[in-house]
Amino acid sequence: MSQTKVEAPFVEKVHHFKNLIQNGGMQIWQRGTSATTIPDGVVSTVDRWVMSEGTDGSATSEYDLLSDADRATTGHSYALELNCTGADTSIAAGDRSYIYHSIEAQNCQHLKWGSSAAENLCLSFWVKSNLTGNFSVSMRQEDNTTYYLPLSYTINSANTWEQKVIQISPTAGSTSLITSSNGVINNDNGRGLMIFFGLVWGSNYTGSYSGTPTWTSTADHADSDITFTNFYSSTSNNLYITGVQLEVGNQATEFEHVPHHVELQRCQRYYQQIPHTAATTWQAYPLWGVNANVMSTRLQLPVVMRAAPTGAFVGTRNTDFKAYYNGGYQTLTAESVADTTDDAVRFDMNSSGAFAANAAGGLYINTTDGRITLTAEI
Amino acid sequence: MNIKSVKKMVMPEDGTTETNTLKVTDTNDKVYFVPKVNANLDYQDVLEWVAAGNTIEEAD
């Protein structure tokens, strides 16, 4: 048997999970893939990316399946597509719209921020738009004192995929905020770092930095000395983004493609739904009779969540989710999620005396329109 | 989360023991069940809502 010696430098340069961004390739869409109006500060479509729209205009986010040619260019199959559906050509001071990604603090410990050994970071991503010009990216360090770093990138050619690379120094602008003790990122399950891709920032969210990226304790997401393109200038505007990677170092390396099932599990730490898959069928879960009015079940979750999740029923009671007992569907009067932990949830289904203590029944959920959502976003 | 009302919940087994969960109704009348856990961002919204002078209702 012949053996091949693997040289140490090759091995040393393999860094698994080097990308601090989860779902940077936009491949996980548990909530759905169709066009959804961007709300104010919640995840609306693609997992782990929060959308916020606070202008006089409006926009949607949706799933984009890249063409073979675009996949050959970018190396990605999916992108987040943003469309302006309502224009706002006069941006007020308090207007803002953006997407952001939060990185859990305990996943940032190797950055050594809060010390003189703080690591440099490199952000890379693919972007395409009908617009050209300058767009904002910003970073927020959440723990202890909150610090902001306004950054920018330029789209040079309309309707063309371009890869952007932005270097992020912990001492940007010759500052020592991040390398001081106030720059420490706590070792916990709270927010560590946030990356914002700005669509528009009103003057309340900008500051003057003469085009030089500079850490600041002021909530500035964009440099007012740079002229930015307004995504909301026309309802013809769109912007696509994928392949977002944030890694230690000064150079953008090849995007870390994570197997689909691994990426899904990573996303389920922050959001899960029961049942998971919409398949035009019914799923059943065993219920136990607490008393004549309540039947319950407790489910172990397939992935431990970041924190005890918020639960919500989606669909219509007695249509999309039903309770089966004693030979037929019984009329539900209420439903709730209770006693949640990071790895288990309890569902209570209420009727007006239709059940019995210690009896067995079933919770049926129509997987097309009904589900129970569990959210522990960050 | 734009909160309209918040109500305590009790265990159905005895109807008196408070659960770790609050029933939160938002301004679109969508209902959420929010655990009283500091790491849950929706619970942080509830705490801010209470700090603004609002009151959590007792359980039914």
Side-chain angles (χ1 to χ4, degrees):
Chain A
M1 177 185 293
S2 63
Q3 293 182 326
T4 301
K5 182 181 179 183
V6 178
E7 296 296 334
F10 174 78
V11 175
E12 288 169 359
K13 288 179 180 175
V14 176
H15 300 294
H16 296 297
F17 297 107
K18 66 181 179 183
N19 189 358
L20 286 155
I21 304 290
Q22 294 172 342
N23 205 24
M26 311 295 176
Q27 59 180 319
I28 306 298
W29 300 69
Q30 292 188 82
R31 295 164 177 83
T33 56
S34 57
T36 303
T37 299
I38 295 180
D40 189 0
V42 296
V43 180
S44 58
T45 50
V46 65
D47 276 60
R48 301 293 350 269
W49 291 90
V50 176
M51 328 280 167
S52 188
E53 197 286 309
T55 71
D56 291 334
S58 59
T60 58
S61 70
E62 63 186 286
Y63 164 99
D64 180 57
L65 181 62
L66 272 63
S67 67
D68 289 346
D70 286 345
R71 186 161 50 86
T73 300
T74 65
H76 294 276
S77 295
Y78 312 102
L80 171 63
E81 175 183 348
L82 303 168
N83 288 292
C84 176
T85 53
D88 182 355
T89 57
S90 180
I91 300 302
D95 287 352
R96 73 283 182 284
S97 183
Y98 49 83
I99 63 172
Y100 75 76
H101 181 94
S102 292
I103 304 166
E104 205 168 317
Q106 57 196 353
N107 292 339
C108 298
Q109 298 306 300
H110 61 299
L111 306 185
K112 297 174 280 189
W113 284 20
S115 78
S116 58
E119 298 278 5
N120 293 328
L121 295 175
C122 187
L123 175 69
S124 56
F125 54 95
W126 286 90
V127 65
K128 182 179 81 168
S129 176
N130 67 304
L131 298 164
T132 58
N134 299 319
F135 290 79
S136 77
V137 175
S138 54
M139 176 171 271
R140 183 163 109 184
Q141 192 277 92
E142 181 93 354
D143 277 328
N144 297 294
T145 305
T146 301
Y147 295 123
Y148 299 80
L149 178 64
L151 301 159
S152 65
Y153 67 94
T154 303
I155 296 179
N156 300 300
S157 302
N159 303 311
T160 305
W161 280 107
E162 299 176 357
Q163 189 180 32
K164 303 300 173 185
V165 176
I166 300 174
Q167 294 172 338
I168 299 168
S169 167
T171 56
S174 301
T175 58
S176 56
L177 300 174
I178 296 300
T179 53
S180 76
S181 58
N182 286 336
V184 167
I185 298 174
N186 297 337
N187 188 13
D188 59 22
N189 64 348
R191 278 181 183 153
L193 291 174
M194 302 171 76
I195 295 282
F196 293 77
F197 288 86
L199 301 175
V200 69
W201 292 108
S203 60
N204 286 356
Y205 304 97
T206 68
S208 175
Y209 299 95
S210 305
T212 302
T214 303
W215 284 101
T216 175
S217 57
T218 307
D220 292 336
H221 287 274
D223 185 342
S224 59
D225 296 321
I226 297 174
T227 300
F228 288 98
T229 299
N230 175 15
F231 176 78
Y232 289 90
S233 64
S234 164
T235 55
S236 301
N237 294 344
N238 57 54
L239 188 140
Y240 299 77
I241 189 165
T242 191
V244 185
Q245 180 156 283
L246 181 68
E247 59 191 305
V248 171
N250 291 319
Q251 290 189 323
T253 63
E254 186 177 352
F255 184 85
E256 182 179 50
H257 290 278
V258 177
H260 186 276
H261 71 284
V262 175
E263 195 70 277
L264 173 61
Q265 289 178 330
R266 298 207 300 172
C267 292
Q268 286 178 328
R269 178 170 172 78
Y270 305 91
Y271 176 84
Q272 300 181 28
Q273 53 190 27
I274 300 170
H276 172 69
T277 304
T280 65
T281 59
W282 290 80
Q283 279 286 2
Y285 304 87
L287 291 174
W288 160 77
V290 176
N291 54 44
N293 298 321
V294 181
M295 295 194 88
S296 299
T297 190
R298 185 166 182 81
L299 296 181
Q300 195 74 23
L301 302 176
V303 173
V304 175
M305 302 192 76
R306 183 189 65 82
T310 294
F313 282 77
V314 175
T316 304
R317 181 189 306 148
N318 296 312
T319 300
D320 298 317
F321 48 92
K322 304 177 178 182
Y324 187 89
Y325 169 69
N326 195 27
Y329 290 113
Q330 307 299 322
T331 301
L332 291 171
T333 57
E335 60 285 327
S336 60
V337 181
D339 200 19
T340 58
T341 63
D342 61 6
D343 69 346
V345 292
R346 167 178 168 155
F347 307 130
D348 293 321
M349 313 305 291
N350 294 62
S351 74
S352 296
F355 304 142
N358 302 318
L363 166 62
Y364 283 74
I365 301 178
N366 177 338
T367 62
T368 303
D369 299 313
R371 59 190 177 278
I372 300 162
T373 62
L374 301 171
T375 306
E377 290 289 352
I378 185 171
Chain B
M1 181 179 284
N2 296 315
I3 298 173
K4 178 180 176 182
S5 65
V6 180
K7 184 179 285 191
K8 294 178 182 175
M9 296 174 63
V10 293
M11 299 293 286
E13 284 85 342
D14 59 16
T16 56
T17 303
E18 243 182 73
T19 72
N20 79 333
T21 309
L22 297 168
K23 182 180 180 180
V24 178
T25 304
D26 72 8
T27 50
N28 293 319
D29 288 326
K30 171 117 179 111
V31 175
Y32 298 90
F33 299 95
V34 177
K36 292 183 278 189
V37 173
N38 283 332
N40 184 297
L41 296 187
D42 295 321
Y43 183 57
Q44 291 298 319
D45 288 345
V46 171
L47 294 179
E48 284 183 20
W49 182 79
V50 171
N54 298 290
T55 304
I56 298 175
E57 300 171 33
E58 292 301 315
D60 292 326

